[in-house]
Amino acid sequence: MNSTDQSRIIYPEQLSLQSVHIVRIVSISTTSFNRFVLNVMGPIPDSSCHVIQETGIPAYWPLCTAAKAFTTTILQPGGDLAYTTQQWKRALETIRADDGPSIPNTSMRLCNHGELTDQGRRQMVSLGKQLRQLYVDQLKLLPPLLTDARTVSFRSSPYLRALDSLQHVVWGLFPPSARSASFGLPLIVMRSPEDETLLPNEDFCKRFIEMSKAYARRTADQWNESSEMTYLNSLLRKYMPSQKLPDEFYSSKVADIIDKIAYEEEFGAYHESREMRRVGIGALLGDVTERLVAHANHSATTGDTNQKLFLAGSHDSTLGAIMASLGVVDVEAKRKWPPYASALAIELFSDPEGEDMNPLDSTSTPRASYSQLSAEQKTRLKRYYVRMCYNGQALVVPGCRRPGHNWNGNASFCSLATFKQVVDDFTPRNWKQTCKENLGEASFPRVAEPAGYW
C-alpha cells in the first residue's frame, strides 16, 4: 500500500482522533503536453496516433478506456429543471504534416494531455477504499453510513485530472451504498482559477511567478556546469533528439540526479524564504489551520463538531510546497518529488484528560493569529495535537521538537498551539494583495529563513 500505508503509524489509546485533512495528488495521468517534440509524423500501428519523430514517444497514449463512456448532464427544455444524462464517446483528432485533420479510426482509448489513465482511475478507487478501511472501519472517525453532509468536505483544483481523481477517491471511500438519502450527492467545492490556493498559483499570483522564475534561474546557474549535469550529458546527450529513449534514461543514478535538480527548482525556495511560503502555500495552510482551531474550540465547548474529514484533490506542487514550508523534509537527506497518488494526512487529536470545557471566549475572528487569542483560548489549543502522515510515514515539524511543544516528548504529535504559530508565520492576511507586493524586489532573502519555526 503506497499512499495510505499506516502500518508504521501508531494511534495512541490516550489520544482521541478528532478530524483529518487529506491533501492528495492526482494519480497516474498523461503528460500535460508533448515531451521532446520537434516534429510529428505519421499514424503508428495499434494506436492510430502520431509519434514524436526524434524519440519514438507517442504523442497520444491509448490508456484511457473511459473515453468510450463519458457522461454529460443535460437540462431538458421547460421550466421544471428536469435533468437527464447523455453518454458519449470521444476520439482525438490530430493534425497531419500538411495541417489537414487526421482522425484516429482504430482506437477510442486515446488519452488527451493531462488526463487520468485507466490505471490512475483504478488506483484512486483503491486509495479511497484504503482510507475507508482506516478512518471508518479501524478508527471509527466516520460512520459506516453517511447521513449528515456536514460530516465531510471535498474540494478540487480547477484541473480536470484533479477533479476526476478526487471523484474516484470519494467513490472508493464512500460508495453509493455508504451514503443515505438524507446525505444526498457528494458536494465538491471548486474555485475560479484566479482565487485558487489549493496549489501554488502560477497563473495569477504575480509575486509568486516572479519569485519562481528567479529560483528557476538560480537552479539552472547552479547545476548547468555541475559534475552531475556533466554526467547526465555524457550519458544522454547523444540520444537527443535522434532516437527512442534508451536504458540510460531509466538508470537509478540518472533518476536521482534529475529528481534532486527538479526538486530544488520547484521547492527549494520554500525551505529558505518566508515570502515564498506566504505567496505559494500560506493561504491553503491558513485555511487548514483555521479549521483545526475552529474544531478544537467547538469541540471544547460542545463535546462534538460536525466536520470530521476534509479531502482535497490537488497536485504534486501542493504536497511538495506544504512539506517544504513546514520544514518536514530533511535538507540533508534525499529530497524526492512526490510520486503519483501520494497523500498527506493532517490529523487532529485531543487529550481527553486535559480538555478544557470552560465556555468559549469568542472575541477573536476565525483567521486570528495566535498572538490575538485570549489566554484561555491559547490554553485550550495546547490540549490538542496535530500529526502529519505522508505515504505511511509520520513527519516532524522542527519547531515541535522542543520540550513542551508536543505530546509526551513525541515530536510527531505537535501541539496545535505550536503548529498554528508555525503556520501563522507565513499565512497572508490578504493573499491577493500579497501577490501584488514587492514586485521587482529581490526574490532571495538576505539571510535564509528556515522553515518549520516561527
Side-chain angles (χ1 to χ4, degrees):
M1 193 186 303
N2 176 30
S3 300
T4 57
D5 182 3
Q6 301 291 330
S7 59
R8 291 167 287 169
I9 300 298
I10 298 175
Y11 290 84
E13 294 182 358
Q14 302 95 315
L15 295 179
S16 173
L17 180 63
Q18 297 291 306
S19 68
V20 59
H21 287 69
I22 300 175
V23 182
R24 41 146 307 283
I25 67 172
V26 265
S27 186
I28 300 172
S29 59
T30 56
T31 58
S32 55
F33 56 88
N34 287 343
R35 305 288 179 175
F36 305 111
V37 58
L38 294 177
N39 289 300
V40 294
M41 61 179 293
I44 60 175
D46 299 326
S47 65
S48 295
C49 61
H50 288 66
V51 60
I52 309 307
Q53 183 177 12
E54 285 76 13
T55 63
I57 301 175
Y60 298 94
W61 304 347
L63 303 174
C64 294
T65 306
K68 295 182 178 181
F70 286 141
T71 301
T72 299
T73 299
I74 306 296
L75 180 61
Q76 301 281 46
D80 55 355
L81 296 181
Y83 292 91
T84 187
T85 57
Q86 174 173 279
Q87 287 192 317
W88 58 283
K89 55 187 179 180
R90 182 196 66 202
L92 291 180
E93 183 174 273
T94 56
I95 303 175
R96 299 193 312 263
D98 64 357
D99 279 351
S102 175
I103 302 176
N105 54 20
T106 62
S107 175
M108 295 292 175
R109 300 191 303 119
L110 296 185
C111 303
N112 210 340
H113 297 308
E115 185 172 356
L116 208 60
T117 65
D118 294 339
Q119 184 178 352
R121 293 173 187 273
R122 296 188 190 99
Q123 192 176 40
M124 288 293 93
V125 173
S126 177
L127 172 58
K129 291 181 178 179
Q130 293 164 7
L131 293 174
R132 181 174 182 83
Q133 182 180 24
L134 176 63
Y135 291 112
V136 177
D137 300 337
Q138 178 182 335
L139 299 175
K140 315 297 183 185
L141 175 67
L142 295 157
L145 181 67
L146 287 181
T147 59
D148 186 350
R150 297 172 297 176
T151 307
V152 294
S153 178
F154 307 123
R155 183 176 160 198
S156 172
S157 80
Y159 292 90
L160 181 59
R161 60 185 180 275
L163 177 61
D164 283 346
S165 189
L166 176 62
Q167 291 187 77
H168 282 74
V169 175
V170 172
W171 183 275
L173 178 56
F174 301 115
S177 60
R179 302 180 232 136
S180 70
S182 62
F183 179 84
L185 297 174
L187 173 65
I188 297 178
V189 177
M190 301 181 72
R191 293 185 182 183
S192 63
E194 60 268 24
D195 293 336
E196 188 55 77
T197 58
L198 196 54
L199 73 166
N201 197 316
E202 58 186 19
D203 294 317
F204 291 94
C205 184
K206 291 184 178 180
R207 180 56 175 164
F208 174 77
I209 296 169
E210 186 176 70
M211 294 185 71
S212 295
K213 290 180 178 178
Y215 274 90
R217 287 193 297 270
R218 189 183 77 171
T219 302
D221 292 341
Q222 176 183 350
W223 291 99
N224 278 348
E225 305 301 325
S226 66
S227 59
E228 289 89 347
M229 188 62 70
T230 299
Y231 174 77
L232 293 180
N233 285 333
S234 68
L235 285 181
L236 308 181
R237 176 173 286 171
K238 59 187 176 182
Y239 298 107
M240 303 291 289
S242 59
Q243 300 180 26
K244 294 184 179 181
L245 297 182
D247 293 341
E248 286 89 339
F249 275 77
Y250 304 96
S251 158
S252 59
K253 183 176 180 180
V254 167
D256 286 344
I257 294 174
I258 293 175
D259 212 6
K260 184 177 182 179
I261 297 174
Y263 182 96
E264 178 62 32
E265 177 181 353
E266 185 76 13
F267 305 120
Y270 298 100
H271 287 275
E272 64 180 65
S273 170
R274 181 183 294 107
E275 185 182 11
M276 189 62 158
R277 298 192 283 268
R278 185 175 292 119
V279 296
I281 206 67
L284 174 60
L285 280 173
D287 293 344
V288 171
T289 304
E290 179 180 328
R291 283 190 291 268
L292 294 175
V293 171
H295 189 118
N297 285 334
H298 183 73
S299 181
T301 55
T302 68
D304 188 23
T305 191
N306 288 316
Q307 191 174 113
K308 301 291 186 181
L309 169 70
F310 174 84
L311 180 59
S314 56
H315 303 266
D316 45 9
S317 59
T318 308
L319 266 68
I322 289 176
M323 293 189 291
S325 294
L326 291 174
V328 299
V329 180
D330 189 344
V331 176
E332 302 302 325
K334 290 182 178 179
R335 294 189 282 182
K336 294 290 187 179
W337 196 278
Y340 279 128
S342 291
L344 176 68
I346 303 176
E347 300 172 325
L348 178 66
F349 295 84
S350 66
D351 185 347
E353 296 297 323
E355 285 191 26
D356 187 349
M357 300 303 291
N358 293 330
L360 174 65
D361 177 358
S362 58
T363 58
S364 64
T365 61
R367 205 72 164 194
S369 65
Y370 183 80
S371 62
Q372 295 173 311
L373 301 181
S374 68
E376 187 267 343
Q377 288 174 317
K378 292 177 180 178
T379 299
R380 179 182 291 116
L381 295 191
K382 292 180 181 179
R383 313 294 176 87
Y384 286 81
Y385 300 91
V386 177
R387 181 175 67 178
M388 299 172 60
C389 300
Y390 172 65
N391 291 347
Q393 179 182 3
L395 306 177
V396 175
V397 177
C400 304
R401 289 193 171 96
R402 292 177 288 182
H405 292 269
N406 54 60
W407 178 71
N408 290 347
N410 187 332
S412 65
F413 289 93
C414 184
S415 73
L416 177 55
T418 299
F419 186 84
K420 176 170 172 55
Q421 290 176 86
V422 171
V423 175
D424 281 350
D425 188 56
F426 58 89
T427 298
R429 296 293 162 245
N430 184 324
W431 172 71
K432 286 191 173 183
Q433 179 59 38
T434 303
C435 287
K436 300 175 184 178
E437 296 173 349
N438 299 331
L439 295 175
E441 300 294 328
S443 295
F444 312 114
R446 289 191 293 270
V447 178
E449 300 159 338
Y453 300 94
W454 71 97

